[in-house]
Amino acid sequence: MSARKKKVGIAFAAAASGIVLALTGCSSSDPLDEPSVTAQAGSIVVGSQAYYSNEIVAEIYAQALEANGFTVERKFNIGQRDAYIPSLESGEVQLFPEYTGNLLQFYDATTTATTTDDVYAALQTALPDGLVALEQSSATDQDSYNVTADFAATYNLESLADLANVDVPLTLGGAPELEERPYGPTGLKELYGLDVGFSATGDTTVEDLVAGTVNIANVYSADPRIQTENLVTLADPEGLFLASNVVPIANADIADSVADVINAVSAALTPEGLVALNVQSTDDQMSTPDIAAAWLEANGLN
Amino acid sequence: MTWVSNNLDLIVSLTVAHLRQSALPIILGLLLALPLGWLAFRFRRARGPILVSSGLLYTVPSLALFAILPPLLGISFLSIANLIIALTIYAVAIMVRSVADALGSIDPDVRSAAVAMGYRPWRSFWSVELPLAGPVILAGLRVAAVSTISLATVGVLIGAENLGYLFTNGLQRRIVPEVLAGVVAVMVIALVIDLVLVIAGRMLMPWAPRRPDRKSKAERAMAS
Amino acid sequence: MNLFAEAFAWLFSPDRLTGSHPLPAAIGEHLFYTFVSVAIAALIAVPLGYLVGHTGKGRDLAVALAGAGRAVPSFGLIVLLVLVLGVTHKPLAAVITFVLLAVPSILAGAYSGLESIDRAVIDAGRATGMTEWQIFRRIEVPLGLPLLVAGMRSAVLQVVATVTLAAYVGLGGLGYYIIQGVPLRRYDQILGGALAVTILALVLDGVFALLERLAVPPGAPRQSRKSSRREIQTREEMEQIEHYPVEQSN
């Protein structure tokens, strides 16, 4: 074999084996599992969702812990539950602000609990062994259906049941996945007998509601714009929504050591307080660390 | 502008993360494109399949590629690895063509001269062909670099933390300067990297002509 | 590999024809936005590109524009415009974004198409007494067509990819299934949506590849593969069109 052909052969083999190596990862594992991430030893890893309000609460946890002598590593904006739940369970992230109702539905989609205490109790049972729910806060940030003040006045709307009196077609706006959630259009049909269309409005839901492209919108209860845009939250007598309070989820290994600090934070966090934090982020455009520091100081927890 | 001045540290840290996430695919892309491009150039039968398959890969929209790679490679959908691999694939797809064409553009007489002077194929490749092919490869590298930096922002949808965060966070909070800062930052670093590559090219390859020539053959014959 | 089987099952299931987002409607939306935007972009970019290519003036500006266009993160641009123009104008914001992204490719295709023509052919045209307009219409446009089509091909693929991303701001299209599938934890939906948009992109790419071949006027000189380095250098930027990011991105 000539030297040139040999070199060609080597080059080809190298390329081919590289490709083969890359492709031998063919597996049927769930691609929605979080990959491994390593945390520094001795520090508490605090995570957050890709949601600015959740990030603020996580930062409050982080700064509160630091004020009490812990070393904290932040892994914010991890995104979807599919991404961070596995790493919470494995201990790569150790503390996470969550919402009782939504998290309960994640673990048990068929749950019938709806009140604050029932949901919290059901959540404690539903959580896997490695995770502990610390005390829940009175602050909520849950799904709620809202209409504009004008719309509510026109049709005399106070609760979701009143929507039956509306004579125009109803369109529900919210995140794309709302369409398939049990409390989405199917839930409205089952519990209230309403036929609603759906429009995936995502992050622009409030604007769409105000602009009239949808007439009902799913707005999170801690969103400051419910007040600033004069929206009316419709009451939910049939328990379509689960109560969803802010709850710290901790890895069982560190739960005891952080419980005192974090429970104090949860106790101090009120529904109005959470809204105020969100206002500081959206209207005052303050940065997350500044907002957290100010809140801790105002509540004497630093 | 006040938002920008108040959040400069956030922008800077995201920029650093962004550059880190972009650099690896660009470098890996070049390293993979060189042998693949050489194969495409050297073997006429290989040229078609290599160029066609890289062209097809390039056609796949990024969000779709992020979804297709995990089941194939056994990685997680929401991971940096997914982002890096996808970006590398796009970078290779861009550069393979450049490398193949660059090597093909070398005057065969030059190769013959090298052989006549006793250069072995390996040395000829590194000392003669690659330097001559350099400028065109550099052009492909520039395109790949700019588009990688730009494309990396989509990584925020699969959990990567880079300048794309400014888009999603800015949308959630309705802060226009934040989103605008993100767009501008991405464009600025893309153009800066492009400039750096141009300057590096000029320094490393002083033999490369600077400007393409528009004169016709006849005009050139008359001028000489 | 059974994930792909599940994805195809999802894609071809009859459920895809019902609900608030039937598959045919999503494909239709996707194609609609793509073609409208590329058409508008072509109306702007083709005349401009021809002007630059024919007169040779403004070439540096056009090259810079093509380069800058590649650097724009399309994901960020669409979010920005939706925020700025408001929610009631989402389709308008989206179309503006797509047009802005498509213009550089088409512009580059138009002017490089003209630039790639051997000057000798143009001189010959002048020598036989053709007017500037006749040269343009009968020599430059037909000979420049393949590269223009290549530019449009790039633009179309780029817009298809960005329309996929526009689902994040609620625009519909095939990206909707991917964006919705992630929080719902349905990988068959995510992958199904991804495969659908990939197939769409490949089909469009194939159609335009065919158009590129058909666009070569009969009798036009074939570009020899072993072009001189100087000619390749001239074609550097033309190569760049075909490599134009099908940017999905950003």
Side-chain angles (χ1 to χ4, degrees):
Chain A
M1 229 187 354
S2 75
R4 177 182 240 177
K5 286 217 173 107
K6 219 188 254 177
K7 295 239 161 70
V8 167
I10 293 173
F12 214 98
S17 46
I19 295 171
V20 167
L21 273 173
L23 286 180
T24 46
C26 256
S27 81
S28 51
S29 63
D30 189 350
L32 289 171
D33 287 341
E34 165 81 356
S36 52
V37 167
T38 46
Q40 262 186 332
S43 62
I44 309 269
V45 184
V46 180
S48 89
Q49 298 174 343
Y51 173 33
Y52 76 91
S53 179
N54 190 271
E55 191 188 280
I56 298 173
V57 178
E59 178 66 22
I60 289 178
Y61 290 169
Q63 289 187 11
L65 287 172
E66 282 172 336
N68 280 277
F70 291 87
T71 336
V72 174
E73 207 183 305
R74 293 157 173 77
K75 285 206 190 321
F76 290 167
N77 290 286
I78 306 180
Q80 309 293 339
R81 282 201 176 88
D82 298 280
Y84 62 76
I85 290 292
S87 46
L88 251 185
E89 291 174 358
S90 70
E92 284 147 12
V93 175
Q94 295 159 311
L95 184 62
F96 211 102
E98 258 285 7
Y99 307 95
T100 51
N102 294 49
L103 188 59
L104 176 60
Q105 277 191 324
F106 177 84
Y107 278 112
D108 178 8
T110 57
T111 181
T112 51
T114 50
T115 65
T116 308
D117 295 324
D118 286 348
V119 168
Y120 183 62
L123 179 62
Q124 283 176 309
T125 329
L127 279 175
D129 286 333
L131 295 180
V132 168
L134 298 176
E135 282 168 25
Q136 64 175 346
S137 168
S138 58
T140 65
D141 200 359
Q142 58 189 71
D143 300 277
S144 70
Y145 287 151
N146 296 263
V147 296
T148 58
D150 290 337
F151 196 78
T154 311
Y155 295 101
N156 243 320
L157 301 172
E158 273 176 8
S159 88
L160 287 169
D162 298 336
L163 282 171
N165 306 331
V166 175
D167 48 10
V168 296
L170 293 170
T171 314
L172 174 65
E177 62 270 20
L178 179 61
E179 190 181 3
E180 304 284 326
R181 295 283 192 217
Y183 47 84
T186 36
L188 280 172
K189 179 77 183 157
E190 275 171 25
L191 289 180
Y192 293 97
L194 300 167
D195 283 305
V196 296
F198 180 74
S199 173
T201 47
D203 285 324
T204 57
T205 299
V206 173
E207 281 86 348
D208 273 297
L209 180 65
V210 169
T213 38
V214 295
N215 34 33
I216 319 173
N218 182 12
V219 184
Y220 302 121
S221 56
D223 193 325
R225 287 169 298 173
I226 295 181
Q227 274 141 31
T228 56
E229 302 285 351
N230 224 352
L231 302 179
V232 173
T233 306
L234 297 175
D236 176 29
E238 303 295 329
L240 179 65
F241 293 115
L242 281 67
S244 209
N245 294 50
V246 177
V247 64
I249 302 294
N251 188 279
D253 296 334
I254 57 123
D256 291 327
S257 48
V258 301
D260 290 336
V261 177
I262 301 298
N263 287 339
V265 168
S266 300
L269 190 60
T270 61
E272 305 78 30
L274 184 57
V275 175
L277 289 173
N278 292 343
V279 169
Q280 286 182 316
S281 182
T282 54
D283 288 356
D284 304 332
Q285 300 185 1
M286 287 171 62
S287 76
T288 303
D290 289 344
I291 298 174
W295 185 88
L296 284 168
E297 184 160 336
N299 285 275
L301 288 167
N302 58 342
Chain B
M1 274 310 284
T2 48
W3 187 90
V4 173
S5 42
N6 289 341
N7 290 270
L8 222 49
D9 47 347
L10 174 67
I11 298 177
V12 167
S13 68
L14 288 175
T15 303
V16 169
H18 197 103
L19 281 170
R20 251 189 295 126
Q21 286 166 20
S22 311
L24 190 56
I26 296 171
I27 296 171
L28 268 182
L30 182 64
L31 290 177
L32 288 171
L34 281 174
L36 282 174
W38 180 81
L39 282 172
F41 153 71
R42 179 70 182 75
F43 299 103
R44 208 174 313 137
R45 296 237 186 86
R47 185 187 166 89
I50 291 183
L51 291 184
V52 165
S53 40
S54 72
L56 287 179
L57 278 173
Y58 196 50
T59 305
V60 179
S62 58
L63 202 52
L65 192 60
F66 290 152
I68 293 173
L69 286 177
L72 278 179
L73 303 174
I75 58 176
S76 166
F77 174 66
L78 298 162
S79 67
I80 300 270
N82 196 6
L83 177 67
I84 302 278
I85 294 175
L87 288 177
T88 306
I89 290 177
Y90 289 127
V92 169
I94 295 175
M95 286 193 274
V96 155
R97 183 88 193 247
S98 295
V99 172
D101 283 341
L103 291 172
S105 73
I106 298 170
D107 199 335
D109 292 343
V110 173
R111 279 210 192 83
S112 310
V115 168
M117 287 175 61
Y119 278 62
R120 289 275 164 74
W122 188 244
R123 182 148 174 239
S124 169
F125 180 75
W126 284 104
S127 316
V128 177
E129 299 181 32
L130 205 52
L132 283 176
V136 180
I137 296 180
L138 181 67
L141 180 60
R142 285 170 60 194
V143 175
V146 168
S147 67
T148 300
I149 290 172
S150 186
L151 193 41
T153 51
V154 190
V156 72
L157 293 178
I158 59 170
E161 191 151 326
N162 58 39
L163 286 167
Y165 166 82
L166 295 173
F167 304 148
T168 51
N169 190 264
L171 180 62
Q172 280 179 17
R173 295 162 68 189
R174 302 288 180 281
I175 302 180
V176 173
E178 182 172 2
V179 182
L180 185 60
V183 172
V184 169
V186 170
M187 290 183 69
V188 163
I189 56 172
L191 295 175
V192 163
I193 298 291
D194 189 56
L195 199 64
V196 163
L197 286 173
V198 168
I199 294 176
R202 296 242 178 102
M203 286 188 344
L204 292 171
M205 299 184 297
W207 55 85
R210 302 281 175 93
R211 260 301 165 76
D213 215 337
R214 282 203 85 207
K215 301 199 194 126
S216 73
K217 280 193 201 136
E219 284 176 313
R220 263 184 284 265
M222 285 199 296
S224 64
Chain C
M1 295 303 259
N2 55 353
L3 281 164
F4 281 97
E6 283 171 33
F8 277 113
W10 178 89
L11 200 52
F12 291 110
S13 123
D15 291 336
R16 297 288 78 69
L17 299 172
T18 58
S20 81
H21 253 91
L23 189 60
I27 298 177
E29 269 175 341
H30 214 109
L31 287 171
F32 172 75
Y33 278 114
T34 305
F35 285 122
V36 166
S37 314
V38 172
I40 298 176
L43 281 175
I44 300 171
V46 171
L48 273 177
Y50 277 161
L51 195 64
V52 169
H54 182 75
T55 60
K57 299 208 175 81
R59 187 182 181 280
D60 293 335
L61 187 62
V63 171
L65 194 66
R70 204 174 295 127
V72 173
S74 45
F75 183 43
L77 191 62
I78 198 167
V79 167
L80 181 66
L81 285 177
V82 165
L83 261 186
V84 165
L85 292 177
V87 128
T88 38
H89 300 114
K90 248 187 253 182
L92 177 67
V95 169
I96 294 179
T97 310
F98 304 144
V99 167
L100 284 174
L101 290 169
V103 159
S105 282
I106 303 179
L107 185 69
Y111 79 66
S112 324
L114 261 48
E115 250 176 33
S116 70
I117 302 171
D118 195 343
R119 293 289 113 195
V121 178
I122 312 249
D123 292 341
R126 283 212 185 92
T128 57
M130 286 176 144
T131 64
E132 287 301 302
W133 181 250
Q134 282 175 323
I135 292 178
F136 175 71
R137 200 168 56 81
R138 291 158 73 177
I139 300 180
E140 294 190 299
V141 169
L143 285 181
L145 210 52
L147 278 172
L148 172 62
V149 174
M152 295 201 62
R153 175 182 176 185
S154 259
V156 162
L157 292 174
Q158 190 161 344
V159 173
V160 164
T162 313
V163 173
T164 313
L165 283 174
Y168 183 75
V169 290
L171 205 66
L174 290 166
Y176 181 80
Y177 303 117
I178 303 177
I179 301 277
Q180 191 198 45
V182 176
L184 287 175
R185 314 179 71 196
R186 295 184 187 166
Y187 210 79
D188 57 344
Q189 178 173 326
I190 296 174
L191 193 53
L195 290 171
V197 73
T198 301
I199 294 171
L200 181 72
L202 289 174
V203 164
L204 285 173
D205 192 48
V207 165
F208 271 86
L210 192 64
L211 286 176
E212 238 179 280
R213 284 238 187 102
L214 292 175
V216 179
R222 282 275 218 89
Q223 295 267 350
S224 122
R225 261 196 314 137
K226 301 225 187 263
S227 322
S228 79
R229 199 183 84 194
R230 179 187 42 74
E231 281 168 335
I232 286 283
Q233 203 99 36
T234 310
R235 281 182 16 216
E236 259 174 48
E237 284 133 26
M238 296 189 252
E239 298 285 279
Q240 287 178 10
I241 311 161
E242 293 175 56
H243 296 281
Y244 211 102
V246 185
E247 178 38 46
Q248 307 105 352
S249 105
N250 3 141

